[in-house]
Every structure is written in structure tokens, then in C-alpha cells.
Amino acid sequence: MIFRICTALMCSAATPAVLLAQAEGGRGALRPYVHVFLAYGITWVLIAVWVWMIARRMKRLAVRESAGAANHGGG
């Protein structure tokens, strides 16, 4: 129990120093990969639009089905 608490305290104390060191040395390190992030973002947007279109079509189909069932006596 004490070991876990000490480990957690050391990690939380070291975190700002690690982040500061990475910020100075690695500034702009991900700049060459901007096109990858953009591609992933565009892909997620396209997937979201595709799922929304499928849901909309399924809703329309359900409305047609319930209207057809009402017109034919519920069967």
C-alpha cells in the first residue's frame, strides 16, 4: 500500500518535468504528420455521415413499413 502511494506521488511529481522537457525538445515534432491527422479526421467525418445516412434510410423504411401495415389491415 505504501509502495503504491510512493510510486503515485513520484510519478505525479515527475510528470510536469517530463512534459516540460518534451515540449522544449520536441517542438514541431509532429508537423510532418499533419496530413495523417487530417486524413484520419476526414475519414471519421465520412464514416459519421455514412452512418447518419444509413440511420435516416432505415427510419424512412420503418415509416413506410408501418404505413403499409396500416393500409393492409395490420398484417
Side-chain angles (χ1 to χ4, degrees):
M1 176 85 169
I2 293 174
F3 179 72
R4 287 183 184 174
I5 292 171
C6 290
T7 304
L9 287 174
M10 286 191 302
C11 288
S12 63
T15 301
V18 170
L19 291 176
L20 185 64
Q22 287 179 352
E24 289 179 10
R27 188 169 290 160
L30 294 178
R31 188 166 291 167
Y33 302 105
V34 170
H35 64 284
V36 175
F37 298 131
L38 288 174
Y40 273 116
I42 290 169
T43 302
W44 278 109
V45 168
L46 290 174
I47 290 171
V49 169
W50 180 56
V51 169
W52 175 72
M53 289 173 60
I54 290 173
R56 197 176 67 171
R57 289 177 186 171
M58 288 181 66
K59 188 175 180 180
R60 266 195 254 149
L61 183 61
V63 168
R64 282 185 189 172
E65 187 176 277
S66 65
N71 289 339
H72 291 93

